Amino acid sequence: MSTLLELTPDELLSTTRCVRRRLDLERPVERELIEECLGLAQQAPVASYNENWHFVVVTDPDKRAALGDLWRKFGARYLGERPDPSVELPAGTTRLLDSVWFLMDHIGDVPVHVIPCIEGRTDGKPVPQQASRWGTIVPAAWSFMLAARTRGLGTCWTTFHLGHEEEAAELLGIPYGDVMQAALIPVAYAIGTDFRPARRKPLDEIVHWDGW
Ligand SMILES: Cc1cc2nc3c(=O)[nH]c(=O)nc-3n(C[C@H](O)[C@H](O)[C@H](O)COP(=O)(O)O)c2cc1C
């Protein structure tokens, strides 16, 4: 078992941030560490009686580069032009865009890509079916990210490559007709371990007791 950061459960829950600029692109990540995190992910709730989730872990440099191309292709469509540094934007927007564009430039260099997958496509299916399928894979993937954080790794939930999900499936041999990909989680050692809670809305703007 690897050494864990000294974080209380509340610190872990409030400081597991999306890490982009602070991913250490030079340091390899041990396979055992990824396996420990995935073992913990498997303890998440599953909607059906059997486990229908899968995790494709990509370390092969050529495959990461190819996934990076797909990620970037959709990302560029979504983001539009790279921001002009002479145009002033609110500080938070500039920070977020800088961070996303950093990952646009380096996604293929991140040492590990983890793609959480779930059996059974729900395209066009009724909402209960969609909710139970996504509701199975999302908590497991988030548990993976929390476990990674306690081991000094940085992660970020990303979905850009899903704009080209079928091509990614072909690249990795994922049976596209039967299996949905939920995300692409870049994983690397985090540079430093101090992360702060995010600024969020006051609770009473989003919580509705006994009705909306
Ligand atoms: C469902 C979902 C999809 C996301 N997709 C991407 C993505 O494709 N690329 C990316 O750089 N970040 C992606 N993000 C990260 C968000 O942009 C990130 O949450 C944002 O930077 C705010 O971070 P914070 O919640 O830690 O404050 C995604 C996050 C979520 C929850």
Side-chain angles (χ1 to χ4, degrees):
M1 176 86 174
S2 48
T3 315
L4 303 183
L5 298 183
E6 280 186 24
L7 294 171
T8 65
D10 286 4
E11 283 167 343
L12 174 65
L13 288 169
S14 58
T15 65
T16 303
R17 301 260 63 83
C18 170
V19 184
R20 298 188 190 89
R21 298 187 73 95
R22 288 172 60 188
L23 295 171
D24 188 337
L25 304 178
E26 306 303 325
R27 186 172 168 194
V29 177
E30 300 81 357
R31 183 186 174 114
E32 303 73 56
L33 217 52
I34 299 290
E35 286 175 342
E36 269 180 31
C37 298
L38 290 174
L40 288 162
Q42 270 187 295
Q43 295 301 324
V46 57
S48 57
Y49 58 88
N50 60 354
E51 292 177 62
N52 52 358
W53 49 37
H54 298 262
F55 298 88
V56 181
V57 183
V58 186
T59 58
D60 176 83
D62 293 340
K63 288 183 178 169
R64 279 186 286 125
L67 282 172
D69 287 344
L70 298 177
W71 198 94
R72 231 183 334 268
K73 196 154 66 161
F74 183 84
R77 264 206 325 269
Y78 176 76
L79 294 170
E81 294 289 305
R82 201 179 278 261
D84 177 349
S86 66
V87 176
E88 213 166 302
L89 295 170
T93 309
T94 305
R95 248 196 328 274
L96 176 61
L97 285 176
D98 280 353
S99 164
V100 178
W101 277 96
F102 174 86
L103 198 53
M104 286 279 278
D105 291 335
H106 294 288
I107 183 71
D109 307 324
V110 182
V112 183
H113 293 175
V114 172
I115 301 183
C117 299
I118 187 87
E119 284 174 36
R121 296 203 73 82
T122 56
D123 316 54
K125 292 271 167 51
V127 167
Q129 221 165 312
Q130 293 181 37
S132 64
R133 210 73 101 239
W134 294 118
T136 294
I137 193 61
V138 172
W142 181 238
S143 290
F144 169 82
M145 293 166 78
L146 293 170
R149 160 88 172 120
T150 62
R151 285 158 179 79
L153 301 172
T155 61
C156 178
W157 192 283
T158 84
T159 45
F160 283 171
H161 91 291
L162 296 176
H164 302 280
E165 186 194 354
E166 199 163 358
E167 285 161 86
E170 201 168 311
L171 175 78
L172 300 170
I174 298 170
Y176 176 80
D178 301 324
V179 171
M180 294 191 295
Q181 299 166 51
L184 186 159
I185 305 172
V187 186
Y189 273 98
I191 300 171
T193 56
D194 56 314
F195 290 93
R196 283 197 300 257
R199 199 168 298 144
R200 298 295 195 225
K201 288 180 180 176
L203 210 52
D204 60 9
E205 284 185 26
I206 59 155
V207 177
H208 313 273
W209 291 81
D210 299 325
W212 184 269

